[in-house]
Amino acid sequence: MFTTGSKFLIGASVMALIATLVYGIGQGGVLGTVGLTSATVALIGLATLNALLRDSNVFSDDEAPVETSSAAQFSPPSSVWPLGFAFGSVVIAVGLISYQPIVVIGLVALVVTGGEWAVQAWAERASGNVEHNAAVRSRLSNPLEYPVGGAVAIGIIVFSFSRVMLWLSKTNTTIAFSVLAAVVLAIGFAIAYRPKMGAGAVGGVMAVGAVAVVAAGAITGLDGERDIPEFETTSIWQEEAILHPTEYAEGAEEGKHPAGLICESPEEFPEADERASETVASKSGSYQVFLTEDETLAFDVPGPIEEGPAGMVIPRSNPTNVIFRNESDEHRRLSIDFGTETLEVEGEDTEVRHQICTTLIEPGGAQLLTVEADLPTFSADGIVNPNGPGGEEGDGFWLFVPGVDTATLELIVP
Amino acid sequence: MRDSETGTSLNHVNLPNRRARTLKFAALATAGLFVAGCATNAPQDTTDPAGTNAQQIYDLSWPIFAIAGLVGVIVFGVLAFVIVRDRDRGQPIPEQTHGKPKLEIALTILPALILIGVAIPTVGVIMDLDDTSDTECVVNVTGQQWWWEFDYPVQDGCGGITEPIVTSGQMVIPADTNVLIRGTSRDVIHSFWIPRLNGKRDMVPGRVHNLRMQANEPGIYAGQCAEFCGLSHANMRMEVVALDDGDFETWKANQLEDYESPTSEAALRGETSFVTNCSRCHQIDGITDADGVPIVSRPDQQVYSGAAPNLTNLMTRNTFAGASWDLINQDYRDEVWEASPEEFGDLYLAGVTDDVFNEVDLREWLRNSPTKKPMYTDPLELEATDGLVRGMPYLALSEDQIDDLLAYLLERK
Ligand SMILES: [Cu+2]
């Protein structure tokens, strides 16, 4: 007969042995293997000793009191927690010598199984009645077990969903999950209209669904995410063109993207322009610039005053949100040219144009552009802006639409 | 120990006496509190509206205060009555009643009716104060630690503005005109509040908030930032100056006048000193370098908010540094503030002249601004802002430099 104590030690020995083999073969490490082997040998020794001494319990081989002694009246049901606890300990040991993050799993296992074990041991002292003891245990543990268990389950499902979503393409994700949502809704209706449907059937459907989701998540997760290219913005393109002109020109020649500055180009640039219109809510507090149907720029600023035709005034050194609305029939972007600035380009101080712009916006679309002008307009007095309407009047800062010569609007910064 | 009034020993004070004393104290304290509310010089007084918007708020608040006061008096009166009548004298507990539907319904309907009665005019006023369709003039107001900037965009309103005007501390508006403030902030949330002209409005970075402003008569109206905004929140004041139409035209024309080069030796040295020490933060429009190229300030590279007051027409205002100190002496200040609406315009437009110039405070400011107004400018403590200051730093100027700068600044009008 194996005594209680020796069972624990035998279990630990077996786990240690497995750990030794796994680690020894997997890692080929010397020091760790030596440690684990020593632990295994020590545990086997302890287990043997314990089995021989029968937990130092003189009564354990005395048959007589087994039926009559009060201790014999109630034997608690077998429990998985000690096993889990031992498992946790071994995982921690393995983690410590092989791969650190595993330690966390071991710790979690240790805390959870240790806690459960403690609660169960406590509940089993409540009475001699197994059912009553189970109820005592539940009363203490369930309020914690259900929410935590539920959260973990939801976490697993959400994580599985996310893996599937990242595996499918953007469009397919939308389709797949619309369909899934419809199915869930249909099942919900079915259950609601057939209240007599057996609990087993409902549970079965749920279980199948859960397994399917988790399985799909596991498979797609292992296969990895779809290609998610680095999100390129108009400002990154602008920066590339200015700071790395040689590389940029090569890229253009190879046809990877149009040539020239993006803010001066009516053409579509990869990635930045693919995401076109990020539709924005019209807020009363925002400045708005319209590309009208007859291809001119009009603007509307907060407050009801029709400001003079001179141009749109924004405060200096203050990020101002400007909504661009494309009311023309073409894909267009709104650009702003703040004159020149001096930057170090490939080791040399170079005069470059300071420009910002939206992405190409589809007809009817809109996008928010945050504009901050740190210099006043008069800093560019008398310097003709190539993106303005031309002529002497064309100095200062200008809003313009690449590809539409008629669309210019002066930006005035006091 | 003897009680001076009754002459009895405190240990043996009898009850009625003690109660009388407590009552006397309470009466005195209340009176004191009441008297503390009186002040001859209280320019930020919501109960003294000077424009249609504040008037509407005031006209609404009185009746509501009266209703709320009446309800309060009744409730506390009943409570006091019950407390006194049923105070414990060893009598049995009075009859406890529960469930008198008529009374309960009445006590539900009555407050509801009162609330509805209060809500209807309140909502009306809120909507009126939100209406911007009658705007006749737009001013952009930008708050930053710890001063307000006012810029007048090009517009048909305000009698026509053809070139933007930028000023700070004092917002000049035409009197008897519906002005619309388009407010925002460059750093943290501030709140614009001129109690005699309208309620307060938070100014949130990245958003534009509208606020109506209208003053019936020419005059000067004080206010201050009403949203805690850091170290010198208390020194973030502002004033609205209302001028009649003619005077406002004069003010506008003056703001847009071309730059006048200094005339005196000292002022010329001051100009040079300004370019070296100040122009990296402060803009003076029209000032050029030796080659005639405009000198452009870069406060965005120096100051956290990205802005510093435009000093082109410093001496056309009466105050500086968040309207916290005067550029004019006390006597002249009193004259301006107490002027009748007819006299006010001339006094204000005269600006800061030699004989009314309050040199002391501006000198102290240039000598060491952070000791005058608490600001984050210690170079050792600017890590969080990448070396940018919040406020104007100590510039280690010599007294001679300050003399020259003052001479130069005094001509900026
Ligand atoms: Cu403030």
Side-chain angles (χ1 to χ4, degrees):
Chain A
M1 267 287 286
F2 290 123
T3 56
T4 318
S6 58
K7 276 187 216 160
F8 173 73
L9 285 167
I10 288 168
S13 313
V14 172
M15 293 306 281
L17 188 64
I18 295 172
T20 313
L21 292 176
V22 169
Y23 183 74
I25 295 166
Q27 300 276 315
V30 179
L31 204 61
T33 323
V34 171
L36 278 171
T37 312
S38 315
T40 314
V41 171
L43 280 169
I44 291 174
L46 280 174
T48 317
L49 210 61
N50 213 284
L52 290 177
L53 296 178
R54 293 180 199 86
D55 287 9
S56 313
N57 187 345
V58 289
F59 299 110
S60 61
D61 58 349
D62 181 357
E63 305 278 315
V66 162
E67 314 234 313
T68 51
S69 77
S70 49
Q73 295 313 302
F74 159 61
S75 77
S78 57
S79 163
V80 296
W81 305 127
L83 192 65
F85 195 74
F87 174 74
S89 321
V90 174
V91 169
I92 289 180
V94 172
L96 279 177
I97 40 182
S98 60
Y99 182 56
Q100 299 272 337
I102 294 181
V103 174
V104 179
I105 299 176
L107 272 179
V108 171
L110 207 66
V111 169
V112 172
T113 54
E116 291 279 11
W117 187 3
V119 171
Q120 185 160 33
W122 168 80
E124 277 162 0
R125 292 173 22 169
S127 73
N129 181 313
V130 178
E131 269 168 36
H132 173 75
N133 291 354
V136 169
R137 192 203 81 88
S138 301
R139 228 185 23 237
L140 190 72
S141 291
N142 285 0
L144 208 62
E145 280 172 355
Y146 285 137
V148 172
V152 170
I154 290 173
I156 291 174
I157 289 180
V158 167
F159 188 72
S160 306
F161 268 8
S162 76
R163 291 310 95 189
V164 177
M165 283 172 159
L166 286 170
W167 180 76
L168 290 170
S169 77
K170 258 181 99 181
T171 331
N172 288 349
T173 301
T174 320
I175 297 170
F177 279 84
S178 306
V179 171
L180 185 67
V183 170
V184 170
L185 196 69
I187 295 177
F189 268 115
I191 294 175
Y193 277 102
R194 295 244 181 292
K196 287 199 192 110
M197 195 159 18
V202 175
V205 170
M206 300 283 228
V208 169
V211 169
V213 166
V214 174
I219 294 167
T220 52
L222 285 175
D223 196 48
E225 299 172 2
R226 66 166 178 266
D227 270 354
I228 301 177
E230 198 182 316
F231 181 63
E232 300 256 25
T233 59
T234 54
S235 55
I236 293 179
W237 277 118
Q238 188 81 3
E239 212 180 285
E240 282 298 311
I242 289 175
L243 295 182
H244 311 288
T246 336
E247 259 172 72
Y248 186 81
E250 278 168 23
E253 240 165 66
E254 288 165 22
K256 287 189 184 153
H257 55 82
L261 295 171
I262 185 171
C263 288
E264 292 183 349
S265 168
E267 282 171 73
E268 182 176 321
F269 277 61
E271 191 60 20
D273 285 336
E274 276 157 23
R275 271 153 225 264
S277 171
E278 313 265 309
T279 311
V280 280
S282 154
K283 289 206 206 108
S284 63
S286 286
Y287 294 61
Q288 299 194 59
V289 171
F290 306 87
L291 178 60
T292 59
E293 277 172 37
D294 51 1
E295 307 222 295
T296 57
L297 281 181
F299 69 101
D300 184 23
V301 296
I305 282 279
E306 277 295 316
E307 298 198 11
M312 188 169 84
V313 183
I314 63 166
R316 181 172 165 190
S317 286
N318 203 354
T320 302
N321 291 329
V322 177
I323 297 174
F324 171 54
R325 295 189 183 282
N326 181 6
E327 293 173 352
S328 75
D329 306 327
E330 303 281 333
H331 281 68
R332 293 296 182 201
R333 76 174 86 247
L334 177 71
S335 303
I336 306 181
D337 190 317
F338 297 101
T340 56
E341 59 181 344
T342 312
L343 286 185
E344 205 184 289
V345 178
E346 296 175 345
E348 272 174 53
D349 275 354
T350 316
E351 287 237 316
V352 299
R353 294 217 76 78
H354 176 28
Q355 299 170 336
I356 60 168
C357 52
T358 67
T359 59
L360 271 189
I361 304 300
E362 78 278 12
Q367 195 178 76
L368 195 75
L369 186 65
T370 301
V371 185
E372 180 168 340
D374 288 331
L375 290 174
T377 317
F378 69 74
S379 67
D381 263 357
I383 306 171
V384 174
N385 190 322
N387 288 303
E392 260 179 38
E393 292 284 287
D395 62 351
F397 307 155
W398 287 87
L399 295 136
F400 66 102
V401 176
V404 187
D405 289 344
T406 47
T408 52
L409 173 66
E410 185 165 13
L411 184 72
I412 301 176
V413 185
Chain B
M1 197 193 194
R2 308 284 293 181
D3 185 327
S4 54
E5 252 177 273
T6 57
T8 51
S9 162
L10 268 183
N11 298 344
H12 305 289
V13 159
N14 51 12
L15 264 174
N17 242 339
R18 184 184 268 174
R19 188 178 298 154
R21 234 166 37 125
T22 317
L23 273 175
K24 225 184 280 172
F25 258 122
L28 240 141
T30 318
L33 210 66
F34 198 73
V35 173
C38 307
T40 48
N41 180 15
Q44 294 178 190
D45 189 350
T46 46
T47 61
D48 184 16
T52 48
N53 302 297
Q55 187 71 48
Q56 262 185 300
I57 297 177
Y58 180 71
D59 291 346
L60 176 72
S61 61
W62 265 116
I64 291 183
F65 179 69
I67 294 170
L70 190 68
V71 171
V73 167
I74 292 173
V75 168
F76 282 107
V78 171
L79 198 65
F81 171 72
V82 172
I83 289 173
V84 172
R85 191 193 64 181
D86 294 336
R87 69 186 178 281
D88 184 11
R89 285 163 301 190
Q91 80 276 40
I93 288 177
E95 186 210 354
Q96 303 289 300
T97 57
H98 179 71
K100 291 198 166 160
K102 271 188 204 156
L103 186 69
E104 280 171 18
I105 289 172
L107 283 182
T108 307
I109 290 179
L110 190 68
L113 286 179
I114 294 177
L115 286 182
I116 291 172
V118 168
I120 290 173
T122 307
V123 172
V125 169
I126 290 175
M127 285 164 74
D128 277 355
L129 290 177
D130 212 36
D131 179 23
T132 54
S133 60
D134 56 359
T135 301
E136 296 164 301
C137 176
V138 173
V139 182
N140 288 330
V141 172
T142 309
Q144 54 262 291
Q145 290 165 327
W146 290 274
W147 55 285
W148 293 93
E149 182 175 87
F150 307 106
D151 77 84
Y152 299 67
V154 174
Q155 59 188 292
D156 307 332
C158 312
I161 291 184
T162 48
E163 256 183 88
I165 296 171
V166 183
T167 180
S168 61
Q170 290 186 322
M171 177 169 110
V172 180
I173 59 170
D176 198 18
T177 302
N178 292 325
V179 177
L180 182 73
I181 286 180
R182 239 158 46 175
T184 185
S185 159
R186 287 195 172 99
D187 40 36
V188 300
I189 302 179
H190 301 278
S191 184
F192 193 86
W193 191 30
I194 307 288
R196 292 188 64 198
L197 298 183
N198 201 344
K200 50 186 94 154
R201 177 72 30 103
D202 275 16
M203 301 298 172
V204 181
R207 292 189 60 100
V208 177
H209 304 272
N210 293 338
L211 179 67
R212 294 163 63 94
M213 245 337 101
Q214 186 267 7
N216 292 333
E217 288 184 325
I220 186 161
Y221 307 95
Q224 69 188 88
C225 176
E227 176 67 55
F228 180 69
C229 58
L231 203 53
S232 255
H233 168 61
N235 294 317
M236 184 168 170
R237 303 168 153 270
M238 61 283 198
E239 284 153 12
V240 166
V241 172
L243 299 175
D244 66 34
D245 286 349
D247 288 339
F248 185 68
E249 287 302 320
T250 315
W251 178 82
K252 275 189 326 197
N254 186 35
Q255 297 295 306
L256 293 175
E257 260 173 23
D258 286 342
Y259 179 70
E260 275 170 43
S261 293
T263 46
S264 70
E265 286 282 308
L268 267 169
R269 285 196 302 270
E271 185 185 44
T272 318
S273 179
F274 181 86
V275 172
T276 329
N277 296 300
C278 325
S279 69
R280 62 178 185 276
C281 293
H282 291 289
Q283 187 66 52
I284 285 190
D285 298 343
I287 188 172
T288 56
D289 66 12
D291 302 331
V293 177
I295 293 174
V296 178
S297 64
R298 291 309 298 263
D300 53 303
Q301 297 171 350
Q302 307 280 334
V303 188
Y304 177 73
S305 66
N310 186 312
L311 300 182
T312 311
N313 295 295
L314 175 67
M315 294 296 165
T316 59
R317 9 200 215 259
N318 291 352
T319 57
F320 71 97
S324 293
W325 288 279
D326 290 312
L327 289 169
I328 49 178
N329 63 32
Q330 187 65 43
D331 287 345
Y332 194 60
R333 181 185 199 276
D334 291 344
E335 226 178 294
V336 172
W337 279 76
E338 281 155 24
S340 69
E342 295 76 34
E343 300 163 342
F344 177 79
D346 287 340
L347 285 175
Y348 183 76
L349 287 178
V352 187
T353 53
D354 276 335
D355 21 314
V356 300
F357 180 37
N358 164 29
E359 205 192 89
V360 182
D361 282 307
L362 191 56
R363 181 177 286 278
E364 278 176 6
W365 179 257
L366 296 186
R367 199 178 281 146
N368 194 345
S369 37
T371 54
K372 198 157 180 63
K373 180 168 177 173
M375 301 180 281
Y376 302 109
T377 54
D378 183 346
L380 301 176
E381 291 171 4
L382 299 178
E383 237 172 82
T385 53
D386 264 344
L388 300 179
V389 289
R390 293 169 193 254
M392 173 161 149
Y394 168 61
L395 294 167
L397 302 172
S398 72
E399 288 306 306
D400 286 345
Q401 277 176 309
I402 296 177
D403 285 340
D404 296 344
L405 280 166
L406 288 174
Y408 173 66
L409 288 178
L410 193 53
E411 292 178 2
R412 296 308 108 210
K413 53 185 170 189

